[in-house]
Amino acid sequence: MKTIALIGCAKNKLNTKSKSKDIYTGDLFKKSKTHVEKHHDGFFILSALHGLLEPEKEIEPYDYTLNDLTKKQIEEWSESVHKQLLSAIKEGENVELFIYAGDKYRKFLLPLLEKSGFKVSVPLKGLGIGQQLAWFKDNIGE
């Protein structure tokens, strides 16, 4: 079974157009990326502005978060990301998803993914930022 990770974007970014996997500079994002590159077959970035991002896609810096959105807008964002993910995964491909993103990113997306038949794991569920950083430290060998 192929494993694909979804990682949350970050507030801190480079100030020039860059690949999405490189533009986010926050510690949690960097640790998430290092972990998923070592332990999963592929990954996408969940961006409040762009939805589902391929790691190699070049984007401009932006200042936009799910915190800027209403509940209805987050639901619409989740539906859009769900559709993008369905398009990105080959039909009939046996995939397990791992989500390394906060509750705002998962809340409405997770039920859509499960309803579509995906097996979904959320390894960091219930952990605060400090605990997440410690989890990554333990799981990426730093």
Side-chain angles (χ1 to χ4, degrees):
M1 176 178 289
K2 184 176 180 177
T3 64
I4 295 177
L6 305 176
I7 62 176
C9 64
K11 180 179 181 176
N12 296 329
K13 299 170 194 69
L14 299 174
N15 15 352
T16 73
K17 184 175 184 177
S18 304
K19 291 179 180 179
S20 63
K21 70 177 185 174
D22 299 325
I23 200 165
Y24 304 104
T25 60
D27 197 33
L28 186 59
F29 178 84
K30 287 180 178 179
K31 285 186 174 15
S32 298
K33 183 178 81 161
T34 299
H35 175 77
V36 302
E37 287 176 334
K38 285 183 179 182
H39 297 283
H40 297 286
D41 299 308
F43 73 97
F44 294 99
I45 299 161
L46 298 173
S47 163
L49 182 62
H50 300 285
L52 191 73
L53 280 173
E54 296 266 355
E56 299 295 323
K57 181 171 175 62
E58 288 205 355
I59 60 170
E60 295 284 348
Y62 63 92
D63 185 21
Y64 188 77
T65 72
L66 291 185
N67 293 332
D68 299 326
L69 305 179
T70 65
K71 177 184 172 193
K72 175 132 179 75
Q73 289 171 316
I74 296 172
E75 289 173 337
E76 290 168 353
W77 175 88
S78 298
E79 289 168 10
S80 175
V81 168
H82 177 244
K83 287 178 187 169
Q84 289 175 299
L85 190 58
L86 290 176
S87 294
I89 295 174
K90 296 175 188 150
E91 191 171 332
E93 193 171 27
N94 193 10
V95 170
E96 180 176 0
L97 298 173
F98 288 78
I99 302 177
Y100 301 90
D103 186 57
K104 279 207 175 183
Y105 289 87
R106 298 189 317 258
K107 186 174 184 176
F108 301 111
L109 180 59
L110 186 59
L112 294 171
L113 296 171
E114 290 173 336
K115 188 175 179 182
S116 292
F118 287 106
K119 180 179 180 192
V120 183
S121 296
V122 185
L124 305 176
K125 187 175 183 177
L127 300 181
I129 299 295
Q131 293 169 310
Q132 291 177 39
L133 290 168
W135 186 92
F136 281 121
K137 185 176 181 183
D138 292 343
N139 286 278
I140 57 177
E142 287 189 354

